[in-house]
């Protein structure tokens, strides 16, 4: 049994560990832990504690993958819903689809018995409004939100520069290797933006025969390189875990245009080895 997660996982990590020790399926164990992260306002990049988009609206993303069946469930830009990792699992279990977004994801959440939540933490709303008032002229504020938003993508972005996700990877008692992610996304993002967290192959990937990987920070880069899938595919082709991550890092380093920043790769192999690599 093995559980690998990043620092944002701390409110739910022990819960997931305990459930894995009890022999629970890896996805059940990880989602139970992530659900605690999503409700904890101390985690400023996930769920209720996260940051809104430019319009002051919360849009949450999540993804899960069963590495034994390679089934995937994912949701993106979901409004009015906090436990989005659990919602992604429902997509996997109940629908022939892999991903739902926006209003459709919220409709499915209601059909699946999820409560209608207000995921905007009051302190996040305060910070968002104060920053908006600093950046916009009185005329722009009077017309907001009926102004061009694209220019704000450079002026108003990620107040705490967290640009992060919670990622969980595990190998459960049956040997299954699985992945789960959840995030509020890039703070102050353009409405509708999706990062890598709900995108299989970019932000997460798992194959019980070889291993799993998940990424945090700059999803715009890992989407372009399919970073999580690269790591697992390299292991399938016989590379060691370390060499597989090196290949993924080399691909990221080849990018010279577009938005470029840091990426953290979390990965494990089927033998129980695990690594976390920070690419800057």
């Amino acid at each position: 049994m093995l559980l690998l997660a990043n620092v944002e996982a701390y409110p739910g990590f022990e819960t997931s560990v305990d459930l894995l020790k009890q022999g629970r399926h890896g996805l059940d164990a990880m989602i139970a832990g992530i659900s605690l992260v999503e409700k904890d306002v101390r985690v400023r990049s996930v769920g209720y504690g996260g940051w809104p988009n430019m319009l002051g609206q919360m849009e949450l993303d999540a993804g899960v993958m069963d590495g034994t069946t390679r089934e995937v469930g994912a949701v993106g830009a979901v409004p009015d819903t906090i436990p989005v990792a659990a919602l992604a699992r429902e997509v996997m279990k109940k629908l022939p689809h892999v991903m739902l977004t926006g209003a459709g994801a919220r409709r499915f959440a209601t059909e699946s018995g999820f409560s209608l939540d207000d995921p905007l933490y009051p302190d996040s709303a305060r910070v968002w409004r104060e920053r908006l008032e600093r950046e916009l002229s009185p005329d722009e504020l009077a017309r907001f939100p009926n102004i061009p938003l694209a220019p704000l993508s450079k002026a108003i972005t990620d107040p705490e520069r967290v640009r992060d996700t919670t990622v969980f990877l595990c190998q459960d008692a049956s040997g299954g290797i699985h992945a789960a992610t959840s995030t509020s996304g890039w703070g102050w993002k353009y409405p509708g933006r999706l990062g890598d967290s709900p995108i299989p192959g970019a932000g997460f990937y798992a194959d019980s025969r070889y291993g799993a990987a998940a990424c945090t920070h700059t999803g715009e880069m890992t989407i372009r390189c399919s970073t999580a899938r690269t790591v697992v595919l390299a292991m399938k082709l016989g590379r060691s875990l370390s060499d597989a991550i090196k290949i993924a890092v080399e691909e990221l380093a080849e990018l010279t245009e577009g938005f470029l920043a840091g990426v953290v790769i979390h990965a494990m192999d089927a033998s129980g080895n695990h690594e976390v690599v920070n690419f800057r």
Side-chain angles (χ1 to χ4, degrees):
M1 187 208 81
L2 175 66
L3 179 65
L4 176 65
N6 62 335
V7 67
E8 279 77 10
Y10 69 89
F13 188 83
E14 290 301 324
T15 294
S16 294
V17 169
D18 289 343
L19 291 173
L20 285 170
K21 288 180 177 179
Q22 294 171 26
R24 295 283 293 276
H25 188 281
L27 284 180
D28 292 336
M30 293 190 295
I31 289 170
I34 286 180
S35 295
L36 297 175
V37 179
E38 291 166 330
K39 293 188 293 186
D40 197 313
V41 298
R42 296 172 297 174
V43 181
R44 302 298 275 157
S45 58
V46 179
Y48 188 47
W51 296 104
N53 64 21
M54 288 182 184
L55 297 177
Q57 302 163 338
M58 296 294 289
E59 295 178 310
L60 305 184
D61 311 324
V64 298
M65 185 167 185
D66 184 317
T68 302
T69 64
R70 280 175 284 169
E71 290 180 283
V72 172
V75 292
V78 186
D80 305 324
T81 312
I82 293 175
V84 284
L87 181 61
R89 183 78 188 283
E90 291 298 300
V91 171
M92 176 195 288
K93 292 193 296 186
K94 295 181 178 178
L95 294 177
H97 311 311
V98 164
M99 181 183 292
L100 295 180
T101 61
R106 181 55 245 183
R107 179 188 178 99
F108 177 69
T110 299
E111 291 181 9
S112 300
F114 286 68
S115 64
L116 195 67
D117 302 325
D118 179 4
L120 182 58
Y121 182 46
D123 189 61
S124 297
R126 175 190 62 79
V127 174
W128 167 79
R129 185 67 193 182
E130 289 177 356
R131 183 64 185 273
L132 202 67
E133 291 172 350
R134 290 201 304 270
E135 296 293 340
L136 299 184
S137 68
D139 178 64
E140 288 173 323
L141 274 173
R143 291 186 291 117
F144 186 83
N146 299 314
I147 63 172
L149 296 179
L152 295 178
S153 64
K154 294 182 179 179
I156 303 180
T157 179
D158 212 343
E160 293 186 353
R161 300 199 67 79
V162 288
R163 201 175 298 131
D164 216 344
T165 299
T166 189
V167 298
F168 282 59
L169 304 173
C170 81
Q171 185 175 46
D172 61 23
S174 68
I177 296 176
H178 313 293
T181 70
S182 181
T183 186
S184 61
W186 189 334
W188 274 230
K189 61 192 173 187
Y190 197 97
R193 177 262 185 186
L194 291 181
D196 63 335
S197 298
I199 299 178
F204 64 99
Y205 198 82
D207 188 322
S208 297
R209 298 170 297 177
Y210 309 109
C215 304
T216 67
H217 290 66
T218 313
E220 279 69 12
M221 296 175 66
T222 58
I223 291 171
R224 294 164 66 187
C225 292
S226 299
T227 301
R229 172 63 171 150
T230 293
V231 174
V232 178
L233 179 59
M235 289 190 288
K236 179 178 181 179
L237 296 176
R239 301 299 185 96
S240 68
L241 175 63
S242 294
D243 285 345
I245 295 173
K246 287 178 183 176
I247 291 170
V249 167
E250 288 169 0
E251 288 189 333
L252 292 168
E254 291 170 355
L255 300 178
T256 59
E257 303 294 333
F259 184 84
L260 304 175
V263 170
V264 179
I265 301 172
H266 307 73
M268 59 188 292
D269 66 19
S271 298
N273 301 303
H274 55 91
E275 290 191 26
V276 178
V277 172
N278 192 342
F279 168 76
R280 295 291 182 183

